[in-house]
């Protein structure tokens, strides 16, 4: 390493890469992929919500998580800013 | 007994074809009768890297379809005895590669006494790549020290473990080897590139070799010669070490440390 490098101490990009990959790979290994029905279910839930409130296509976020004990669905619905107040 | 080795990676452009050509040549140079197959139907390249592009008459798909015989289709290498190349088809579409067809060709190679069949996989995780890895006994996962290559290698490892014939039959798993290519120790030392430890810990696969970034690879491909035959090149020696390890020898890693510079170099490098 050159003398000049001692005076610039940015975080090293290689360690950022490693951290990002650790997360990604852990995610890729999470008990295989999410179930096939997820996208369709997401669409159906949006349709149900639309009977009551006008929401955008990305209003419903679904996360699937598989742990040793159980499988979990995390559902986030955002109703848009207008309705908030 | 013939052993089927797939050279795969998920990502394109990481060095699969370079590696297939050198590993096959190195095995044959050691006296093992070896065939290297180009599975990249539609984008044939191995013939160029092996320098036999003008000798292609029939191809893999002709052979599968029974339009040519094995001895008409295999190209015998002019430099290395015991080395044969099976070129991909340039024109047919990928659906022509069927499991039955590939199995038939592999069986024929086996009965012709081939000890090693090296399968050069296309990029991606679709039909061609699946076909290249399906019958594998061993896999060489070619990975560059770079985020997208590492992620794709992890994906292809998952596929090897679930969709290869060995996985489907529920027998012994495919033996996996990690080959890191285009490694630049100087950039690693500066913290600009993932290190050998980073990559092998992330993928948790046994390391079979590290091929340094080398200008000789391009020059060898310009000349249509597998780089392993440029014997004084670092890349060639690193490939030779990797083959020795593949065959069970112990060899220390080389070309993985920065060459020590003089005082001036250290101050201003
Ligand atoms: N060790 C290396 N050093 C420098 N360049 C390399 C090295 N290995 C491969 N390359 C270059 O990378 C490019 C892609 O290589 P190739 O073997 O065709 O990859 P793939 O078959 O995975 O698509 C080629 O231009 C090749 O010359
Ligand atoms: Mg290739």
């Amino acid at each position: 390493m050159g003398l000049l490098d001692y005076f610039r101490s940015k975080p090293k990009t290689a360690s950022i890469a490693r951290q990002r990959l650790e997360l990604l790979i852990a995610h890729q290994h999470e008990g295989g992929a999410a179930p096939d029905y997820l996208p369709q279910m997401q669409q159906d839930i949006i349709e149900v919500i639309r009977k009551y409130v006008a929401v955008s296509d990305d209003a419903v976020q679904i996360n699937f998580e598989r742990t040793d004990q159980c499988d979990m669905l995390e559902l986030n619905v955002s109703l848009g800013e207008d309705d908030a107040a | 007994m013939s052993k089927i080795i797939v050279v795969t990676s998920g990502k394109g452009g990481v060095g699969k074809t370079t590696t297939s050509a050198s590993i096959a040549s190195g095995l044959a140079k050691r006296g093992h009768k070896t065939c290297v197959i180009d599975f990249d139907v539609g984008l044939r390249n191995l013939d160029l890297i092996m320098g036999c592009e003008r000798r292609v008459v029939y191809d893999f798909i002709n052979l599968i379809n029974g339009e040519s015989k094995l001895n008409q289709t295999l190209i015998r290498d002019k430099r290395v005895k015991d080395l044969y190349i099976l070129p991909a088809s340039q024109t047919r579409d990928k659906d022509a590669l069927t499991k039955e067809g590939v199995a038939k060709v592999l069986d024929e190679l086996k009965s012709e006494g081939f000890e090693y069949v090296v399968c050069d996989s296309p990029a991606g995780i679709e039909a061609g790549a699946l076909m290249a890895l399906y019958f594998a006994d061993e896999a060489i996962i070619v990975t560059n020290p770079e985020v997208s290559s590492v992620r794709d290698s992890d994906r292809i490892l998952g596929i090897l473990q679930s969709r290869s014939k060995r996985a489907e039959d529920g027998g012994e798993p495919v033996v996996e080897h990690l080959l890191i290519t285009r490694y630049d120790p100087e950039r690693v030392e500066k913290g600009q590139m993932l290190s050998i430890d980073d990559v092998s810990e992330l993928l948790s696969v046994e390391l079979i070799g590290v091929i340094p970034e080398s200008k000789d690879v391009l020059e060898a491909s310009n000349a249509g010669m597998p780089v392993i035959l440029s014997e004084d090149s670092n890349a060639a020696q690193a490939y030779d070490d990797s083959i020795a390890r593949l065959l069970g020898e112990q060899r220390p890693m080389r070309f993985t440390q920065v060459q020590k510079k003089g005082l001036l170099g250290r101050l201003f490098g």
Side-chain angles (χ1 to χ4, degrees):
Chain A
M1 202 183 286
L3 198 56
L4 287 176
D5 292 312
Y6 289 110
F7 298 105
R8 322 183 203 107
S9 61
K10 278 184 293 178
K12 297 283 191 277
T13 55
S15 57
I16 302 174
R18 180 174 175 141
Q19 283 165 16
R20 293 172 62 210
L21 281 164
E22 276 168 0
L23 281 176
L24 260 172
I25 287 177
H27 195 74
Q28 259 168 208
H29 291 191
E30 255 164 32
D36 296 341
Y37 58 72
L38 233 49
Q40 187 56 51
M41 187 168 81
Q42 183 163 7
Q43 210 45 51
D44 290 351
I45 292 173
I46 290 179
E47 295 310 317
V48 172
I49 293 173
R50 280 202 178 131
K51 289 187 182 170
Y52 306 92
V53 201
V55 291
S56 61
D57 284 340
D58 55 4
V60 175
Q61 296 296 331
I62 298 184
N63 289 312
F64 178 78
E65 224 169 279
R66 182 165 281 168
T67 66
D68 292 342
Q69 286 86 37
C70 63
D71 296 352
M72 261 190 328
L73 275 183
E74 182 191 28
L75 204 65
N76 280 304
V77 184
S78 70
L79 294 177
E81 288 174 1
D82 299 4
D83 312 69
Chain B
M1 246 312 275
S2 77
K3 204 168 250 181
I4 300 168
I5 303 175
V6 63
V7 177
T8 185
S9 69
K11 189 169 156 59
V14 296
K16 289 180 293 298
T17 300
T18 304
T19 297
S20 301
S22 280
I23 297 279
S25 306
L27 285 168
K29 252 181 65 183
R30 285 162 183 259
H32 300 291
K33 191 173 177 186
T34 301
C35 178
V36 55
I37 307 182
D38 190 347
F39 272 80
D40 209 340
V41 174
L43 282 174
R44 150 165 113 206
N45 271 327
L46 181 69
D47 56 335
L48 273 175
I49 300 302
M50 297 294 302
C52 64
E53 70 277 8
R54 289 169 58 193
R55 297 166 62 208
V56 177
V57 181
Y58 296 109
D59 59 50
F60 196 13
I61 305 290
N62 291 135
L63 188 57
I64 286 176
N65 291 346
E67 295 154 1
S68 62
K69 295 216 166 60
L70 188 68
N71 62 4
Q72 297 174 301
T73 318
L74 290 184
I75 301 171
R76 178 189 214 131
D77 192 84
K78 289 206 162 142
R79 295 158 297 220
V80 184
K81 195 175 154 282
D82 294 323
L83 178 59
Y84 296 79
I85 299 110
L86 180 48
S89 166
Q90 189 66 301
T91 50
R92 311 299 185 86
D93 86 309
K94 294 182 173 32
D95 299 336
L97 273 187
T98 59
K99 273 182 195 166
E100 296 70 35
V102 175
K104 190 186 78 175
V105 171
L106 292 175
D107 281 344
E108 207 177 340
L109 289 170
K110 192 176 290 186
S111 61
E112 288 297 318
F114 279 90
E115 287 173 82
Y116 289 96
V117 179
V118 176
C119 303
D120 180 19
S121 175
I125 52 174
E126 274 98 58
L130 291 179
M131 208 57 81
L133 67 76
Y134 186 73
F135 295 98
D137 299 307
E138 304 199 13
I140 295 175
I141 317 295
V142 180
T143 307
N144 293 167
E146 178 269 321
V147 285
S148 53
S149 175
V150 174
R151 169 157 73 177
D152 290 358
S153 290
D154 182 65
R155 288 272 283 150
I156 211 78
L157 282 164
I159 291 170
L160 273 165
Q161 291 155 11
S162 60
R163 302 186 60 187
S164 60
K165 181 163 192 306
R166 284 192 171 204
E168 282 182 6
D169 294 350
E172 285 286 298
V174 176
V175 181
E176 300 160 352
H177 310 280
L178 172 64
L179 184 73
I180 300 177
T181 61
R182 311 201 66 164
Y183 193 70
D184 184 341
E186 237 164 85
R187 302 201 70 184
V188 173
E189 195 177 272
K190 289 183 181 148
Q192 299 171 349
M193 182 181 266
L194 289 164
S195 69
I196 298 169
D197 287 347
D198 287 334
V199 178
S200 48
E201 283 165 27
L202 283 162
L203 294 174
S204 37
V205 173
E206 168 257 350
L207 184 70
I208 196 154
V210 178
I211 313 299
E213 173 75 21
S214 162
K215 298 194 166 76
D216 302 327
V217 173
L218 179 61
E219 291 211 53
S221 75
N222 287 342
M225 186 176 76
V227 70
I228 197 170
L229 300 181
S230 320
E231 278 164 14
D232 34 325
S233 151
N234 289 356
Q237 292 171 34
Y239 272 118
D240 189 63
D241 287 348
S242 307
I243 293 167
R245 293 187 200 103
L246 189 70
L247 298 175
E249 279 175 49
Q250 300 276 342
R251 292 242 180 132
M253 291 290 165
R254 291 192 278 169
F255 319 114
T256 55
Q257 303 295 324
V258 178
Q259 299 297 310
K260 287 279 167 278
K261 290 181 191 161
L263 180 65
L264 283 178
R266 242 180 291 158
L267 281 176
F268 300 106

